[in-house]
Amino acid sequence: DAKTTQPNSMESNEEEPVHLPCNHSTISGTDYIHWYRQLPSQGPEYVIHGLTSNVNNRMASLAIAEDRKSSTLILHRATLRDAAVYYCILRGFYNTDKLIFGTGTRLQVFP
Amino acid sequence: DSGVTQTPKHLITATGQRVTLRCSPRSGDLSVYWYQQSLDQGLQFLIQYYNGEERAKGNILERFSAQQFPDLHSELNLSSLELGDSALYFCASSVEGGRAVDTGELFFGEGSRLTVL
């Protein structure tokens, strides 16, 4: 399974944008980039995923580098509820492929 | 609410005992995944079933076993329990049968917290 590298922790103030980076230099051509987050005392939840183009949804935006060796999850206006561990995961082509979680980035949001 | 139900939510048992964790996936989801989360190991993938068949295996100990039943619910059996098996066990489901487009998003339950004393 291809590996991702994320900072252990990041901090943000409420209402400010947050850019969470992820490096995945060994990504293969068919790997999708998935982001999940885990709020305290809860199971992980899906945030967003993409292959080559930037993606937007109601939760976040995903910016993917042209060479696909890195990506950035963007939370446009952080709220206290966004405090969580964010996982960047490479997943194979098939939607039945397993997810392998790394250590993730712990995001703290200050009021 | 993800739609995935796990029981029991909490379980306390002794070393050497055996427990069964149950997972009811979202209605119609064919794939079930089991994960273990302990403080020092993070989220570890254990095993995956798809429509009753084992699809992928991760770091699952030989003392652990799982199965998926015809109604698609799954059980994770943990035997000869050790102190180190204390953890949160998550079940996730995905791949709703019959959908033309499926991102394969995994939906996680709230977990079963196992404490081995």
Side-chain angles (χ1 to χ4, degrees):
Chain A
D1 298 302
K3 186 177 166 56
T4 63
T5 304
Q6 299 178 252
N8 287 334
S9 63
M10 290 186 65
E11 297 177 352
S12 174
N13 293 318
E14 211 176 0
E15 310 250 326
E16 290 184 355
V18 181
H19 291 233
L20 297 164
C22 180
N23 287 317
H24 29 78
S25 58
T26 60
I27 190 170
S28 74
T30 55
D31 282 339
Y32 282 79
I33 302 159
H34 286 248
W35 284 81
Y36 280 72
R37 72 179 184 180
Q38 187 173 19
L39 303 172
S41 303
Q42 294 188 26
E45 65 175 345
Y46 168 83
V47 178
I48 200 167
H49 81 286
L51 184 63
T52 56
S53 304
N54 294 345
V55 185
N56 300 296
N57 66 20
R58 62 175 180 80
M59 287 182 71
S61 296
L62 176 60
I64 301 172
E66 198 169 329
D67 64 4
R68 300 207 329 125
K69 294 187 176 181
S70 65
S71 61
T72 302
L73 179 71
I74 302 165
L75 307 179
H76 295 286
R77 291 181 66 192
T79 69
L80 296 178
R81 196 193 173 276
D82 291 322
V85 179
Y86 287 79
Y87 298 96
C88 169
I89 303 164
L90 300 183
R91 191 185 191 199
F93 175 79
Y94 297 101
N95 62 14
T96 52
D97 284 351
K98 59 188 182 293
L99 286 179
I100 301 298
F101 287 80
T103 53
T105 296
R106 181 173 297 279
L107 175 66
Q108 288 183 283
V109 180
F110 298 104
Chain B
D1 182 6
S2 67
V4 177
T5 304
Q6 290 188 246
T7 57
K9 288 192 178 353
H10 301 276
L11 189 55
I12 301 174
T13 189
T15 54
Q17 295 299 304
R18 173 190 169 94
V19 298
T20 297
L21 309 180
R22 182 188 168 99
C23 171
S24 295
R26 289 190 322 154
S27 177
D29 276 1
L30 300 176
S31 199
V32 170
Y33 308 75
W34 285 98
Y35 288 84
Q36 178 193 55
Q37 186 170 38
S38 55
L39 281 175
D40 57 346
Q41 291 289 325
L43 268 162
Q44 298 288 312
F45 168 71
L46 295 179
I47 197 164
Q48 176 198 0
Y49 281 82
Y50 179 81
N51 204 18
E53 300 287 329
E54 183 183 304
R55 173 63 69 96
K57 209 170 213 182
N59 302 321
I60 188 165
L61 300 172
E62 284 192 13
R63 300 183 285 107
F64 296 0
S65 64
Q67 55 183 323
Q68 185 179 27
F69 295 86
D71 67 353
L72 301 177
H73 93 270
S74 178
E75 292 181 356
L76 179 66
N77 300 297
L78 314 175
S79 62
S80 302
L81 286 168
E82 302 175 0
L83 296 177
D85 297 327
S86 296
L88 260 172
Y89 291 84
F90 287 105
C91 167
S93 74
S94 75
V95 193
E96 182 180 332
R99 285 179 55 158
V101 177
D102 189 344
T103 65
E105 172 185 347
L106 267 64
F107 295 87
F108 283 79
E110 295 185 355
S112 293
R113 182 174 294 281
L114 173 66
T115 302
V116 182
L117 301 176

